[in-house]
Amino acid sequence: MGSCIERVTGRDPDEVFAYNTIKVVRIKDRYLGMLRLFLLLVIFLYIVGYVLIYQQKYLEIEVPVGSVATSLKKPGHLKIDVSQYPYCKNYSGSEHFLDPAECVAWDADQIVYPPAMSDSMLITTRIKTTEEWYICKDPTAGPCPAELWTNNRTLAGVNFTNATGEIAWPVTQFMAGVDAYSVWVKHNMQARLFFSQTGDDHYAAASSEMTGRLIDRNGDVLQTFGLGPDYIYVSTFLQAAGADLSRTSHAQGADPHGGDSQRSEGIILLVAIIYSNLKSEQPTYEYSVTQIPQAEYKVVESRISNDNMHRINIDRHGIQLVFLTTGQIGRPDFQTTLIQLVSALGLLSVAALVVEMSMLYIMPHKKYYNKYKYQETVDFSDLRDAEEDGLDVDQMTDPQFSASLNADLASMRRPFVDGDAQDSSQ
């Protein structure tokens, strides 16, 4: 079989199927040893200092769930004067606004719609009011028209004067001073798995038991909160998100020529409440606010009369606050720590690889290191053949094999450097 392989490949079968094994060579070079120790120290500091202490990877992490309750409050000191707001037609200043309109002053309960929603709130900034009448008063008299409601008083059979007009045209109005209103926020969180397993109150808390802060897009703190419910001005939410209601709206329903402001069309703000206990024993929280680009928000409220024959439609646009609860609640866990340590131990092979590459390709004495590291044996097929013939090494007729074997034996007794020194002198 060996001759067949030799005919096909043109090489000795022992060369084709040679086996590479690991050889431990102790290189007595202080620079290689110091490089290895330095890399091991860096890896140790990375695992212990950065991974375990700074990143706290020894903790098992759970994302908490929570609930949020909100309401809008009008500050008691706030006196609304429509002449002070640039978006009102009665504005007495010189500042320009994109699409000013008539302004009205509403109470906080009127501005929020719907009045009770879980984890979200619409703060109305602009309304368009339309008055309509029901025209299918007697369905038994014949088929009703396709449009059951109309703003045409004559068509609806409603008496009117020249002052009121035949057509009830929509009326557009801004909410004056809404930016100065404050939002009352109360929230709760729980790491359900940790709490169900331990019953520890550190894994469940209300905002009245925690401290928190509100940051802007740059991470700067705009407001801090102690124990108790949080009061945040609408203008502070806008500042945190980098939003400005006077900017041109590019929402789908806005004027394509840029004639509508974000105050007119509405915006959506995502308010993330981020809980964490990674830097303190008691959980803390952080508000982070972002605006969804090119998004508007509107909802239509219909107020129908008692006789169901008359209604007022209020098309509301405004600031939609959507509250999201998230974060990281951690607890020490041996299995998590063990996984991190095992994963980090793979870096030890990187240290060995760096030393090996430096030794073989970079260091000044790399050619000597290569000779110590890589050694090729004699052809053991020839050795077996000699043993079958009853010959020992000195009796072999092949001088090349004998010289090769003797050279290997000699290499175990003297350093390669002597041979290299002789080569360099020739």
Side-chain angles (χ1 to χ4, degrees):
M1 180 178 178
S3 60
C4 293
I5 296 176
E6 189 170 3
R7 285 196 300 270
V8 173
T9 63
R11 299 171 60 195
D12 191 301
D14 290 315
E15 287 284 346
V16 176
F17 298 105
Y19 169 67
N20 295 326
T21 185
I22 297 175
K23 179 182 180 180
V24 178
V25 180
R26 194 162 187 260
I27 307 294
K28 294 182 179 180
D29 189 324
R30 72 186 72 174
Y31 299 112
L32 289 175
M34 292 170 62
L35 175 61
R36 175 178 173 273
L37 290 177
F38 172 74
L39 293 176
L40 291 178
L41 177 62
V42 171
I43 292 172
F44 174 80
L45 294 177
Y46 170 77
I47 295 173
V48 176
Y50 182 72
V51 175
L52 294 182
I53 297 178
Y54 180 75
Q55 290 191 320
Q56 298 180 297
K57 292 295 185 178
Y58 64 91
L59 297 175
E60 181 184 3
I61 300 297
E62 181 179 353
V63 178
V65 295
S67 63
V68 183
T70 61
S71 66
L72 191 66
K73 304 292 183 181
K74 179 181 178 295
H77 65 274
L78 179 62
K79 296 181 179 180
I80 297 178
D81 181 359
V82 296
S83 66
Q84 301 301 313
Y85 303 108
Y87 49 85
C88 296
K89 281 189 174 180
N90 295 332
Y91 177 56
S92 57
S94 58
E95 185 178 346
H96 172 73
F97 191 77
L98 186 63
D99 53 349
E102 298 291 338
C103 284
V104 293
W106 277 12
D107 190 57
D109 293 336
Q110 296 174 284
I111 292 175
V112 175
Y113 184 84
M117 287 187 66
S118 176
D119 301 333
S120 65
M121 166 188 283
L122 171 62
I123 302 173
T124 306
T125 57
R126 192 261 290 181
I127 61 172
K128 183 172 70 173
T129 306
T130 304
E131 190 176 9
E132 294 180 326
W133 291 267
Y134 190 62
I135 58 177
C136 188
K137 299 180 180 180
D138 186 7
T140 61
C144 293
E147 297 293 335
L148 300 178
W149 295 85
T150 180
N151 63 345
N152 188 310
R153 292 185 174 91
T154 300
L155 185 61
V158 177
N159 294 325
F160 65 93
T161 63
N162 290 334
T164 58
E166 180 182 19
I167 305 297
W169 298 108
V171 177
T172 298
Q173 298 168 309
F174 281 129
M175 296 293 110
V178 70
D179 310 50
Y181 285 57
S182 63
V183 180
W184 174 89
V185 185
K186 184 178 180 181
H187 50 92
N188 310 275
M189 77 87 193
Q190 184 182 93
R192 298 188 63 211
L193 177 62
F194 295 168
F195 184 77
S196 62
Q197 291 177 345
T198 65
D200 193 335
D201 290 342
H202 289 96
Y203 303 131
S207 56
S208 58
E209 304 171 302
M210 297 180 285
T211 59
R213 62 180 188 171
L214 171 66
I215 62 171
D216 62 13
R217 295 186 301 174
N218 299 321
D220 297 327
V221 179
L222 299 181
Q223 189 174 347
T224 58
F225 309 98
L227 305 180
D230 304 333
Y231 290 89
I232 307 172
Y233 285 112
V234 174
S235 58
T236 305
F237 276 120
L238 295 171
Q239 180 184 355
D244 186 351
L245 296 181
S246 64
R247 292 176 184 159
T248 301
S249 174
H250 299 286
Q252 184 176 3
D255 182 359
H257 303 292
D260 293 328
S261 65
Q262 293 186 6
R263 182 179 296 274
S264 176
E265 295 303 303
I267 61 174
I268 300 177
L269 299 182
L270 298 182
V271 184
I273 307 177
I274 306 169
Y275 301 98
S276 175
N277 69 341
L278 303 185
K279 296 183 180 179
S280 61
E281 183 178 358
Q282 184 68 21
T284 60
Y285 63 90
E286 184 176 88
Y287 291 102
S288 177
V289 189
T290 55
Q291 179 183 358
I292 299 180
Q294 301 180 12
E296 63 176 341
Y297 195 85
K298 62 173 287 185
V299 64
V300 177
E301 174 192 3
S302 290
R303 299 178 180 178
I304 302 179
S305 63
N306 293 333
D307 60 2
N308 294 325
M309 294 297 173
H310 176 237
R311 73 178 182 185
I312 296 177
N313 294 327
I314 303 177
D315 185 2
R316 295 173 176 257
H317 293 249
I319 305 167
Q320 176 72 359
L321 298 178
V322 180
F323 292 87
L324 310 171
T325 57
T326 184
Q328 290 186 324
I329 301 298
R331 64 176 178 181
D333 181 70
F334 174 76
Q335 185 175 0
T336 303
T337 305
L338 186 61
I339 291 174
Q340 293 298 328
L341 289 176
V342 172
S343 301
L345 287 177
L347 294 174
L348 296 179
S349 61
V350 176
L353 178 63
V354 171
V355 175
E356 287 282 317
M357 294 298 102
S358 301
M359 178 183 73
L360 298 176
Y361 302 107
I362 300 176
M363 301 292 284
H365 298 116
K366 57 188 176 183
K367 66 176 182 178
Y368 303 127
Y369 301 143
N370 272 276
K371 286 190 175 182
Y372 276 109
K373 181 172 177 62
Y374 299 109
Q375 178 182 352
E376 188 170 339
T377 69
V378 296
D379 192 327
F380 278 87
S381 292
D382 297 337
L383 180 61
R384 283 188 286 269
D385 292 341
E387 290 175 343
E388 290 176 1
D389 293 339
L391 301 175
D392 59 25
V393 175
D394 295 330
Q395 295 172 335
M396 288 184 181
T397 57
D398 185 354
Q400 183 179 359
F401 172 81
S402 178
S404 177
L405 180 59
N406 287 330
D408 286 341
L409 294 174
S411 69
M412 300 177 186
R413 296 191 294 269
R414 73 173 187 275
F416 285 115
V417 221
D418 297 338
D420 289 328
Q422 294 176 4
D423 294 341
S424 60
S425 65
Q426 292 178 354

